[in-house]
């Protein structure tokens, strides 16, 4: 005895399958669009933790970073003195006076953590506190990075995708966090904008062309293009 089964339509798809196909198609379209902001960035900048700081809050945050940095340098100096090595103490003293972007500070902190010994726990704690303060100030200015990246993307015709521009701008933002000095009287956003634009402009000059042009020639071409656009 044979049981007749209902015929299944070949042309019709289940609703879940068609909706998932539409969603995947839209995701592919967004990924191929150079103006698309990555979903992880969009979700992050819409959080309240990324709201811009006021001038007073910027001063407080920058002062806290400066205090944490000074405390970490002092801990490294004590650690170097405990090693009873003149070269180590001289290296820490020189780096304290000449380090402007925390590169030497991070390198010496890594060396101290690798060596271990007396005082290394204090160095580890202060380094974690400094990183936390710097990350908090940078996170509050992520929207500024997206704004500058969008501005450069529109100006250059999206030679680089939005994700790459945001990545380069974030590097400039971290550089501004390391170099910001609240005692000079300007806002952090003013200094951060310059560093973000600088890093994005260098990335466009280095990566946008098949044959890389020197930086001074690329800057000259951009100035000429801006002058022509202003006269038109």
């Amino acid at each position: 005895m044979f049981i007749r089964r209902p015929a299944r339509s070949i042309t019709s798809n289940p609703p879940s399958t068609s909706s998932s196909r539409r969603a995947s198609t839209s995701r592919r379209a967004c990924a191929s669009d150079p103006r698309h902001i990555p979903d992880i960035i969009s979700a992050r900048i819409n959080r309240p933790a990324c709201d811009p700081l006021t001038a007073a809050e910027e001063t407080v945050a920058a002062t806290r970073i400066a205090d944490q940095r000074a405390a970490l340098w002092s801990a490294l100096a004590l650690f170097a003195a405990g090693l009873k090595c003149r070269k180590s103490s001289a290296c820490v003293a020189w780096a304290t006076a000449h380090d402007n972007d925390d590169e030497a500070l991070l390198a010496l902190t890594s060396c101290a953590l690798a060596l271990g010994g007396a005082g290394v726990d204090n160095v580890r704690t202060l380094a974690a506190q400094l990183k936390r303060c710097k990350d908090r100030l940078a996170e509050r200015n992520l929207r500024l990075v997206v704004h500058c990246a969008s501005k450069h993307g529109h100006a250059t015709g999206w030679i680089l995708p939005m994700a790459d521009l945001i990545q380069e701008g974030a590097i400039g933002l971290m550089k501004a966090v390391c170099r910001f000095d609240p005692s000079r009287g300007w806002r952090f956003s003013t200094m951060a904008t310059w560093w973000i634009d600088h890093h994005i402009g260098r990335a466009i000059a280095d990566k946008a062309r098949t044959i890389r042009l020197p930086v001074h020639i690329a800057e000259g071409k951009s100035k000429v293009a801006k002058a022509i656009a202003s006269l038109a």
Side-chain angles (χ1 to χ4, degrees):
M1 181 177 180
F2 296 97
I3 299 175
R4 179 177 294 180
R5 296 180 179 178
R8 194 165 113 190
S9 176
I10 300 176
T11 57
S12 62
N13 294 324
S16 59
T17 306
S18 59
S19 61
S20 62
R21 287 183 178 179
R22 285 196 299 268
S24 62
T25 304
S26 63
R27 284 195 297 267
R28 285 196 298 268
C30 291
S32 61
D33 187 4
R35 298 169 296 180
H36 174 65
I37 300 175
D39 296 336
I40 187 172
I41 301 296
S42 300
R44 195 171 186 86
I45 62 178
N46 291 327
R47 293 169 51 193
C50 292
D51 291 340
L53 296 174
T54 62
E57 290 173 340
E58 283 183 356
T59 303
V60 171
T63 304
R64 187 180 297 115
I65 291 173
D67 294 340
Q68 294 289 343
R69 185 183 291 115
L72 182 55
W73 277 120
S74 300
L76 287 173
L78 292 175
F79 178 80
L83 295 177
K84 298 180 180 179
C85 177
R86 293 182 179 179
K87 290 184 179 180
S88 299
S89 300
C91 180
V92 172
W94 183 89
T96 305
H98 296 87
D99 187 28
N100 294 323
D101 48 10
D102 290 352
E103 290 185 1
L105 179 63
L106 296 176
L108 291 174
T109 302
S110 300
C111 292
L113 296 178
L115 290 174
V120 72
D121 293 334
N122 188 27
V123 172
R124 182 183 292 106
T125 302
L126 292 174
Q129 292 176 357
L130 176 61
K131 184 180 183 303
R132 197 179 304 115
C133 293
K134 290 165 66 174
D135 290 346
R136 190 178 297 116
L137 180 58
E139 190 175 17
R140 290 285 190 166
N141 291 272
L142 281 178
R143 295 177 185 175
L144 180 62
V145 174
V146 176
H147 171 73
C148 294
S150 178
K151 178 183 67 177
H152 281 273
H154 284 291
T156 58
W158 300 103
I159 298 176
L160 290 179
M162 187 69 167
D164 293 347
L165 296 177
I166 291 176
Q167 181 178 359
E168 297 294 336
I171 296 174
L173 176 63
M174 293 307 299
K175 181 74 72 172
V177 169
C178 295
R179 287 178 170 264
F180 179 60
D181 185 4
S183 62
R184 296 188 177 183
W186 58 61
R187 292 285 303 271
F188 173 76
S189 57
T190 304
M191 182 179 182
T193 302
W194 188 92
W195 279 105
I196 293 168
D197 290 339
H198 175 73
H199 276 262
I200 293 177
R202 285 297 178 92
I204 292 173
D206 290 341
K207 303 175 183 177
R209 297 177 178 86
T210 305
I211 300 175
R212 179 185 175 276
L213 294 177
V215 176
H216 65 282
I217 294 179
E219 291 178 352
K221 288 187 65 177
S222 64
K223 289 180 181 179
V224 171
K226 289 180 181 178
I228 294 174
S230 63
L231 294 175

